[in-house]
Amino acid sequence: MPVDVVGKVTEKRLVARDTIRIAIDAPEVAKDARPGQFVMICNTVPTFDPFLRRPFAITGAEWGRIELIIRVVGWGSALLANLSEGGEVRILGPLGNGFPDPKGGVILAAGGIGIAPLLFASRRWPSAELLYGEPSLDWVCDLSREKFCHFELSTDDGSAGEKCNVVKLLRKRLAASPLPVFACGPEPMLEAVAKACKRAKVDCFVSLEEHMACGVGACQGCAVLTKDGYKRVCKDGPVFDARKIEWGKR
Amino acid sequence: MSKLAVSVGSVRLKNPVLVASGCFGVGREYGELFDLSLLGGIVTKTVTREPRAGNPAPRLWETPSGMLNSIGLANPGIEVFIEKEIPFLNDVGCAVVVSIAGKVFEDFEELVRRLDPIECIDAIEINVSCPNVKEGGLAFGTSPETVESLVATLRPLTAKPLWVKLTPDATDIALIGRSAVNGGADALCAINTLTGMEIDVGRRVPRIGNIFAGLSGPAIRPVALAKVFTLHSALPDIPIVGIGGISEAGDAIAHMLAGASAVQVGSGIFRSPHLPLEVIRGIAEYCEFFDFAGARDITGALIIEG
């Protein structure tokens, strides 16, 4: 069950260009959180501009703390990235369905800030392998504190890891041994991941991103078109079986 | 009778705070966060005769101190609503107002006929002000003749109170309000969202799939207060339910001072799920501090000097 609480920011560090990682003390939110779920957060100051909360995938939920990776993409995320240690945020969660429990090994495919929920997955399921792509080295999140059983990095310009995109890494990996895939990233990447998984005949679950108002399933604002009609990204997702998504259709 | 209790015509509410249509579903989701029986009432997501899938995405865009939405009255239709949602609403422990919309008069008539025998429904809100549908929304709600004749058509079909939700897009909201009352409306709800639009100048496309959308949030509060005040001045004996930009208790009190007997909290819930409860508490404190015997005494208590 989600709760809405005020939590203190206990840790904050810059992990990549325009990207911070924060820990928020929120035991009630952390206790039942699972990888793929998200929270809606806003400042505690009584101002209404920006009006809506911002959804963020949960990157960690240990020791009563919710960890988030926030990449500045606009005004709302910029304000939240300006929070300092000791500051407070309103945090509503955990929300959404999360990834299913993998029965054995699983490949995590992260594009850009899509790394956020997949780090949580890699901690929860230590046999998971992580493939991570960014445009260039400056965008690559500092993952020096993480442990992976297998990790591959790609950048579009070759400034770190292999010079390709993460979908290419995935295709190579699937050719070696087919495993189910959990993916998060921009929509064109997810569509390509879904295609690669279909070809390799493996299950694929994608975590979608959409503008949200309520985050709990009440407003129906974050609709995504699926083979079963419109679904709410916040409540029916954000994790969907990739085969169900009507890619590129609104 | 509790200090917070108010009446909207014949509908008794334990407090003046309802949640607005479209922002709360029927309460299932927010019912996980707080006890729904603490509310004055729930106005359901609008139900239509047939199921509606809703408008193409994107359906949302945030604006300065507000938001645009174009959901397009997505709902499962009256059949499923009665089968699945009424049993839930039967147990919520607060007033239940069902919002209805249709493309033609016959749709509204059928909806009222279906809802009339259901005991847990305290009132029916006629939505003739949705900016996100082609037929039956603004096209109805901006025409005094259509509003009067629609309400007059529905009036004989049920003894339940009929509330009419008005659009701020009408040239003269008092004219539309009076038409609704002439048709037999028991109360007026004001306001629905304002028609709005945003443009992505880089890609040269509208931000919303349906191009037009409804503006809500703190940005529209001054418009809402002006409309409530205008309606109350023109029709002092008709109960008004104030809606628009309520983000804290003071906003709800402002609506009541302007003439509202009760209020509906809408998109403010998205930022603060517990907002309706904070508003209820704030109204109680206001009554205490300013020596109002009850919340009902705040209605129309605005002081206009000179």
Side-chain angles (χ1 to χ4, degrees), chain A residues 1-4 43 45 47-54 92 211-214 216-221 223 230 232 250, chain B residues 23 25 29-30 32-33 45 53-57 59-62 64-67 71 74 218 247 267-268 270-271 273-274:
Chain A
M1 288 283 233
V3 292
D4 182 27
N43 287 294
V45 283
T47 170
F48 301 108
D49 206 8
F51 177 48
L52 298 170
R53 294 185 184 217
R54 295 291 184 271
L92 168 66
H211 287 285
M212 290 180 188
C214 74
V216 299
C219 77
Q220 306 190 58
Y230 282 116
R232 301 162 297 180
R250 291 295 201 175
Chain B
C23 300
E29 295 81 15
Y30 285 106
E32 292 185 356
L33 287 160
K45 170 80 181 165
N55 286 342
R59 293 176 172 180
L60 289 178
W61 189 257
E62 192 183 52
S65 296
M67 59 175 281
I71 312 299
S247 307
S267 49
F270 302 154
R271 184 181 176 90
H274 293 88

Side-chain angles (χ1 to χ4, degrees), chain B residues 41-245:
Chain B
I42 293 172
V43 187
T44 67
K45 170 80 181 165
T46 296
V47 61
T48 54
R49 198 168 168 181
E50 305 296 336
R52 287 181 62 96
N55 286 342
R59 293 176 172 180
L60 289 178
W61 189 257
E62 192 183 52
T63 60
S65 296
M67 59 175 281
L68 288 171
N69 88 79
S70 181
I71 312 299
L73 302 184
N75 81 95
I78 188 69
E79 203 68 53
V80 174
F81 178 85
I82 290 175
E83 187 193 333
K84 297 247 172 81
E85 311 293 28
I86 289 294
F88 176 84
L89 289 165
N90 197 43
D91 296 332
V92 289
C94 62
V96 171
V97 181
V98 175
S99 169
I100 61 168
K103 291 180 183 169
V104 291
F105 277 29
E106 290 72 41
D107 292 344
F108 286 94
E109 291 172 51
E110 175 64 11
L111 288 161
V112 170
R113 269 191 222 105
R114 297 295 302 272
L115 296 170
D116 176 61
I118 301 171
E119 209 175 321
C120 73
I121 300 173
D122 295 284
I124 296 171
E125 186 178 84
I126 303 168
N127 179 0
V128 282
S129 41
C130 177
N132 301 325
V133 291
K134 282 199 188 77
E135 303 145 291
L138 284 186
F140 278 17
T142 51
S143 158
E145 296 78 19
T146 309
V147 168
E148 179 166 345
S149 106
L150 175 64
V151 181
T153 306
L154 303 178
R155 185 66 282 173
L157 304 179
T158 184
K160 290 192 192 294
L162 295 175
W163 297 4
V164 178
K165 188 163 177 178
L166 304 177
T167 172
D169 290 354
T171 312
D172 180 359
I173 198 166
L175 181 62
I176 307 285
R178 186 171 287 116
S179 307
V181 171
N182 289 343
D186 298 275
L188 303 172
C189 304
I191 54 176
N192 206 320
T193 53
L194 285 80
T195 302
M197 179 174 176
E198 279 283 14
I199 293 171
D200 179 338
V201 297
R203 292 168 53 231
R204 281 187 281 140
V205 294
R207 294 283 193 189
I208 297 283
N210 194 45
I211 303 176
F212 296 114
L215 180 66
S216 64
I220 73 162
R221 187 187 61 218
V223 177
L225 292 177
K227 301 296 180 188
V228 168
F229 182 71
T230 300
L231 283 169
H232 183 63
S233 306
L235 302 156
D237 299 327
I238 301 303
I240 294 162
V241 181
I243 318 164

